[in-house]
Amino acid sequence: MRNEMGIQFHSSFLFCCRGFWPDDLSFYRLDLLFPMSFNFTAAIRNVCNDICLRVPDLTHIDMTRVGISFCQTRQNEKYGVFASLTPLKFKDGSSFNRKKTFYWMIPDVYGENKQKILYLLSFYMPRFMNLSLIDKFDTIIHELYHINQDFNGDIRRFQGRCFAHGSSRKKYDHIVQQYVKEWLEKDPPPEIWHFLKMDFKELETKYQGVFGTKFQLPKMKRLTEYELQKYQQNKTS
């Protein structure tokens, strides 16, 4: 169900369901429309900002160029995807990827500051909030660690066939756990992450609703070599 402002309602979930593209950069101040409800994407962004500030190996991440998306799961199941990171560039930060006689490109996506974003970090609700506190920390840093060390829109790539997590998923998880420990040892302000102590039902009850920003995943465009040349000429002109 939608109201006249285009805001989508579903049960206790409140979120802005619109993609942020060059021709659509208007934003609703949902925090003003629903002052008693909880802005999940704003709160989790504060957590990510603090992590990237305090964990040295993640300081290359500029959260102003990472879109955070509120995703609703169809069923309230315990198992499944809790969060995901979507890169908005191809390997090594390339804007194009060639396959056979065609080129593929990802359309530009813009954030609230009207700046192009390089990644989409999505959290799946209520599933994510129903994790234990330490598992929530692990999940957040797990996804942040996927961001390329050059912050170029590509994921961090390991050697070998399993380039996303490396040859050992156990080793990847161990690194994530060390980063969680490192962050907590630096005493991040409890007011930043205290909401993560609650499960979704507790959060919903306390704030009379939960809302956040939702990004629409961009669809790749297929270009011929001629179309690619025209596109590049228009970008430089």
Side-chain angles (χ1 to χ4, degrees):
M1 179 178 68
R2 295 176 186 271
N3 73 353
E4 64 276 9
M5 295 187 69
I7 298 170
Q8 179 171 331
F9 296 85
H10 187 284
S11 182
S12 62
F13 293 91
L14 309 171
F15 56 89
C16 182
C17 188
R18 57 166 59 225
F20 305 126
W21 313 98
D23 58 349
D24 185 9
L25 291 172
S26 58
F27 289 80
Y28 294 127
R29 288 296 306 275
L30 295 183
D31 54 334
L32 298 180
L33 290 171
F34 307 105
M36 297 300 293
S37 297
F38 186 80
N39 187 337
F40 174 81
T41 47
I44 203 72
R45 179 176 292 280
N46 288 337
V47 176
C48 292
N49 280 332
D50 196 82
I51 290 171
C52 294
L53 179 67
R54 297 176 191 273
V55 178
D57 286 348
L58 299 178
T59 56
H60 65 287
I61 298 173
D62 177 5
M63 286 302 301
T64 65
R65 304 198 68 186
V66 178
I68 297 183
S69 188
F70 181 106
C71 300
Q72 181 182 348
T73 57
R74 292 185 178 181
Q75 296 179 341
N76 186 11
E77 296 178 344
K78 183 178 180 180
Y79 301 102
V81 178
F82 302 105
S84 63
L85 182 83
T86 304
L88 298 180
K89 297 292 182 182
F90 296 105
K91 186 176 180 181
D92 298 326
S94 174
S95 298
F96 305 96
N97 184 37
R98 182 172 184 174
K99 288 188 177 181
K100 296 183 179 179
T101 58
F102 291 99
Y103 291 86
W104 293 88
M105 63 169 288
I106 302 173
D108 293 333
V109 183
Y110 291 76
E112 294 184 49
N113 55 6
K114 299 185 180 181
Q115 187 177 26
K116 291 180 185 178
I117 62 174
L118 295 175
Y119 301 91
L120 286 178
L121 177 56
S122 303
F123 291 90
Y124 296 84
M125 306 290 280
R127 192 182 293 145
F128 170 79
M129 282 302 298
N130 291 338
L131 290 170
S132 68
L133 179 61
I134 195 65
D135 283 344
K136 288 171 188 168
F137 293 154
D138 279 354
T139 300
I140 295 167
I141 293 183
H142 178 108
E143 299 306 328
L144 290 175
Y145 188 50
H146 274 306
I147 293 177
N148 192 283
Q149 54 270 44
D150 292 329
F151 198 70
N152 56 11
D154 188 19
I155 63 169
R156 183 186 299 269
R157 292 177 181 266
F158 296 89
Q159 291 184 346
R161 186 166 57 91
C162 302
F163 59 86
H165 293 98
S167 58
S168 171
R169 177 64 179 267
K170 186 176 181 180
K171 183 178 179 181
Y172 186 100
D173 291 340
H174 177 72
I175 293 172
V176 168
Q177 290 162 7
Q178 289 299 112
Y179 288 160
V180 172
K181 182 180 178 182
E182 185 177 344
W183 177 60
L184 292 175
E185 285 176 347
K186 293 185 178 181
D187 296 322
E191 59 269 22
I192 289 178
W193 55 267
H194 73 95
F195 73 96
L196 292 172
K197 289 184 175 181
M198 293 179 274
D199 62 22
F200 184 81
K201 189 64 178 178
E202 291 168 337
L203 191 68
E204 171 190 52
T205 301
K206 181 175 180 179
Y207 294 98
Q208 303 176 25
V210 180
F211 70 89
T213 301
K214 181 177 177 65
F215 281 84
Q216 183 180 13
L217 288 177
K219 294 182 179 179
M220 287 196 295
K221 293 184 178 180
R222 190 178 71 171
L223 303 175
T224 63
E225 189 164 355
Y226 173 77
E227 289 172 329
L228 175 61
Q229 291 174 354
K230 293 290 291 182
Y231 174 83
Q232 291 175 325
Q233 288 173 3
N234 290 335
K235 292 284 282 187
T236 56
S237 61

